[in-house]
Amino acid sequence: METITLGAGCFWCVEAIFRTLAGVLDVEAGYAGGHIDNPTYEQVCAGKTGHAEVAKITFDPKITSLNEILDVFFKSHDPTTINRQGNDIGTQYRSSIFFHIEPQKEKILKSIMKWNGETLFNNKIATEINPIKNYYPAEEYHQMYYSKNKEAPYCKAVILPKLMKMEK
């Protein structure tokens, strides 16, 4: 099994998208990259902890490769914007990849080079790449948020269209 932690805006969206992939065994909403221990959602949203909202993804590389995970990551958000995804604005929504083992870093850098060469984006990728540090699981009510709240306005207006886009 392999683990990678990804930030692509709201962690509810990221979690919902990656739960649909074959070979993904677990997705946990959390916070990574900040400078305080055990941050709360309110602290992270205030933008003072340095954490990004992330999804920690555990997958079977025999079924789904890291390259496939990264392709979904880059297609599912705008990795060229800094500290913003749609109407979600702030450092906690930055595009970020936190690698868990050193060999992942090379694959991530190659993936960015590949995507920078594509015509999908108008600008260069601004995704931050760092080793995993200061990761904390989000509060229980954030786990599997979309699955538990499909009728919520945010789920219908933001998450469902992303899922439908990724399905195509």
Side-chain angles (χ1 to χ4, degrees):
M1 299 311 113
E2 193 170 337
T3 302
I4 191 86
T5 300
L6 306 173
C10 172
F11 51 23
W12 297 340
C13 295
V14 181
E15 180 189 47
I17 288 166
F18 282 93
R19 283 198 179 279
T20 67
L21 293 182
V24 171
L25 306 173
D26 189 46
V27 183
E28 179 179 69
Y31 314 109
H35 56 268
I36 70 165
D37 294 337
N38 297 308
T40 66
Y41 180 68
E42 291 74 20
Q43 290 172 315
V44 172
C45 284
K48 297 183 180 178
T49 70
H51 288 84
E53 286 191 16
V54 296
K56 183 172 80 170
I57 300 159
T58 303
F59 61 100
D60 184 341
K62 293 176 188 162
I63 298 171
T64 300
S65 70
L66 178 58
N67 288 332
E68 290 168 318
I69 296 283
L70 293 170
D71 284 350
V72 170
F73 170 75
F74 287 118
K75 289 178 190 176
S76 67
H77 78 298
D78 182 353
T80 68
T81 58
I82 297 173
N83 299 333
R84 178 184 192 137
Q85 288 300 309
N87 291 328
D88 294 329
I89 301 170
T91 58
Q92 69 271 27
Y93 300 116
R94 66 190 180 269
S95 179
S96 51
I97 302 173
F98 296 93
F99 58 91
H100 289 244
I101 54 175
E102 194 62 31
Q104 290 177 331
K105 184 176 181 181
E106 185 178 333
K107 289 180 181 179
I108 294 163
L109 294 173
K110 284 182 180 179
S111 182
I112 288 173
M113 284 177 47
K114 176 186 101 170
W115 283 102
N116 274 333
E118 297 288 329
T119 59
L120 184 63
F121 307 117
N122 293 329
N123 298 305
K124 295 291 183 193
I125 290 174
T127 302
E128 293 180 2
I129 300 132
N130 292 297
I132 189 71
K133 69 173 189 169
N134 294 343
Y135 173 82
Y136 299 94
E139 296 82 351
E140 183 56 37
Y141 70 94
H142 291 297
Q143 306 303 329
M144 297 180 61
Y145 188 85
Y146 178 73
S147 297
K148 296 175 186 173
N149 299 282
K150 288 183 181 178
E151 297 303 314
Y154 186 88
C155 292
K156 285 181 166 181
V158 179
I159 301 173
L160 182 59
K162 282 188 176 195
L163 287 171
M164 291 170 63
K165 176 185 169 192
M166 293 308 298
E167 210 172 272
K168 288 181 184 177

